[in-house]
Amino acid sequence: MNAAMNTRNRGAAITGIGVIAPGGVGTDAFWKATREGIPCLDRISREGSGHFPVRIGGQVRGFDPGSMIEERFLVQTDRFTHFAMASADLALDDARLPVDDMSPFAIGVVTASGSGGGEFGQRELQQLYGKGPRYVGPYQSIAWFYAASTGQVSIRGGFKGPCGVVANDEAGGLDALAHARRSIRRGADAMVAGASEASLAPYSIVCMLGWDELSRARDAGRAYLPFTEDACGFAPGEGGAMLVVEEEGAARRRGVRIRGFIAGYGSTFTGASRWERSREGLAQAIRVALEDAQCAPEEIDMVFADALGVPEADRAEALAIADALGPHGTRVPVTAPKTGFGRVHCAAPTLDVVAAVLSMEHRVVPPTPYVTDVCHELDLVTRSSRPAEPRTALVLSRGLMGCNAALVLRGPEGDY
């Protein structure tokens, strides 16, 4: 019993945030776009992508990987890993983590990715079939792999603590943060955790074309409209977010700003594209997360929705929120900032976590870009940010293959 209590008392504090997103490079730029509901969806302009039926997405612009990452790492890695390494640097700087004074075995890394290194892999395969095997570089064996970001962030930082990669559908972004919290409870002092995706290269887009849930709209303003009668699927996006999750006691002793706490987590599985079943599965994930956080439903101050943009899935999510939160589910502010920059697969819920932490800091609930008329019984925040005093946030995510996840966050003043 004492051992269990000691484990639970190792709180998981968020002390650093780093973001590379369509809304901007860095936390300030991302928050400005999120708070103001600045739409970032546009025609996908990556070379070789113009003839696909998927035309609209959220692209990261203004990101120069060479200005943030050493050349020897750049040549070994894909764009999705560039996002991870750059955002990890930003998060470590934000946390002011005294890496040089810590044991390398006390710091771990966990990331998630659903698309992997498609751009790098495509280039090398074109070399293979166009010129022959002698023209394929040795890094093809690792750069495409889902674990590449965890490996490169840990190697580059010298982190030798518990490391892992989550390849668990789009909910993996929340799973990675839950894994980081678990590692803190088991003895790690700090974890660098998050997700990144670069799925707008031609090869990656082709891999997505089998998804019925992907929006084929040609107008950015109509491409991603969850919870409306015009919902026609989701617009894809790219980018990533990494967080430094630190043992609370250590963070307090060194006087660093604590930006929030990972308080509770729950997950379930209901099967690929079985959106009616996801109602029950998502509601159960919420209940488990609330129990884990020792949080009553009415304590949730805002919900960051999964917001798939498919009518059946949107209905299931709205009902799941009501099922799990009771009457409070129709009153609590709900938002989906991802409609402004695209559903960034595993990184989508991680970006939502960042937005939730910043919302608690700045005392607003950000809007859901492009969306105006809601056809579900939800208090969806639209048009502009809503002033609020949020201290506890619920972040939801579902994957196309059937995973459901819920994460409860508390602000720094909350009793996690």
Side-chain angles (χ1 to χ4, degrees):
M1 181 67 175
N2 289 337
M5 289 297 293
N6 289 338
T7 297
R8 190 170 183 85
N9 286 340
R10 289 181 62 84
I14 298 169
T15 57
I17 296 173
V19 180
I20 308 292
V25 175
T27 304
D28 290 344
F30 171 73
W31 176 240
K32 176 179 173 62
T34 301
R35 182 190 64 232
E36 298 179 9
I38 298 173
C40 301
L41 295 182
D42 200 354
R43 191 176 184 88
I44 297 173
S45 61
R46 300 294 295 280
E47 183 178 358
S49 300
H51 63 290
F52 293 125
V54 176
R55 301 294 180 88
I56 302 298
Q59 298 178 104
V60 172
R61 304 181 188 276
F63 170 61
D64 176 15
S67 68
M68 303 182 72
I69 303 165
E70 303 89 331
E71 177 64 23
R72 66 188 180 95
F73 288 105
L74 286 179
V75 300
Q76 302 177 28
T77 49
D78 179 81
R79 183 173 172 85
F80 91 106
T81 299
H82 300 166
F83 291 150
M85 288 192 288
S87 55
D89 281 351
L90 294 172
L92 288 163
D93 287 345
D94 183 41
R96 295 186 285 115
L97 195 69
V99 173
D100 292 340
D101 298 328
M102 300 172 66
S103 166
F105 297 100
I107 308 171
V109 181
V110 58
T111 67
S113 177
S115 61
E119 182 175 307
F120 195 107
Q122 175 186 333
R123 183 176 65 245
E124 295 302 302
L125 288 174
Q126 286 174 329
Q127 291 284 83
L128 172 64
Y129 293 117
K131 297 182 179 180
R134 292 179 180 273
Y135 293 88
V136 178
Y139 299 117
Q140 164 65 358
S141 61
I142 60 171
W144 68 272
F145 192 41
Y146 304 97
S149 294
T150 291
Q152 296 291 0
V153 170
S154 62
I155 291 170
R156 189 163 171 256
F159 306 140
K160 301 178 181 180
C163 290
V165 60
V166 180
N168 188 30
D169 215 345
E170 292 167 278
L174 294 188
D175 297 337
L177 295 177
H179 186 96
R181 175 183 180 233
R182 190 177 303 117
S183 295
I184 294 293
R185 287 185 163 187
R186 290 175 174 175
D189 289 339
M191 296 290 294
V192 182
S196 63
E197 303 278 11
S199 59
L200 300 183
Y203 174 80
S204 299
I205 292 178
V206 168
C207 292
M208 292 190 287
L209 291 180
W211 297 342
D212 293 335
E213 295 87 353
L214 198 63
S215 174
R216 269 69 172 177
R218 300 196 174 197
D219 178 359
R222 311 297 299 171
Y224 192 9
L225 298 172
F227 305 116
T228 72
E229 293 182 350
D230 296 322
C232 60
F234 70 89
E238 64 175 358
M242 297 290 283
L243 292 81
V244 173
V245 182
E246 192 171 352
E247 195 277 315
E248 180 190 1
R252 292 194 184 282
R253 284 192 294 274
R254 67 188 188 87
V256 70
R257 175 177 60 162
I258 293 178
R259 309 194 71 162
F261 293 99
I262 301 174
Y265 165 77
S267 65
T268 61
F269 178 78
T270 47
S273 296
R274 297 179 177 178
W275 299 119
E276 289 187 6
R277 291 190 181 184
S278 76
R279 170 185 178 178
E280 179 183 6
L282 185 60
Q284 179 62 13
I286 295 170
R287 294 188 190 101
V288 172
L290 292 175
E291 182 178 359
D292 185 27
Q294 299 181 5
C295 176
E298 57 271 18
E299 291 182 67
I300 296 297
D301 297 318
M302 58 184 171
V303 176
F304 283 74
D306 176 61
L308 188 64
V310 173
E312 297 85 354
D314 293 344
R315 181 176 184 274
E317 183 172 19
L319 292 172
I321 292 171
D323 291 345
L325 300 186
H328 186 61
T330 60
R331 299 190 297 263
V332 64
V334 177
T335 184
K338 61 171 69 72
T339 62
F341 51 79
R343 188 179 175 90
V344 194
H345 308 298
C346 281
T350 314
L351 289 167
D352 279 345
V353 167
V354 171
V357 170
L358 295 171
S359 295
M360 289 188 283
E361 288 183 355
H362 293 272
R363 300 181 179 181
V364 298
V365 181
T368 305
Y370 298 111
V371 173
T372 53
D373 299 320
V374 179
C375 66
H376 295 276
E377 198 173 353
L378 289 174
D379 183 15
L380 193 71
V381 180
T382 62
R383 301 182 190 277
S384 61
S385 292
R386 181 185 301 178
E389 296 287 339
R391 297 180 59 189
T392 305
L394 176 65
V395 180
L396 306 179
S397 182
R398 293 172 298 179
L400 298 178
M401 296 298 105
C403 294
N404 312 288
L407 195 77
V408 176
L409 298 166
R410 291 200 188 270
E413 301 303 319
D415 179 12
Y416 78 100

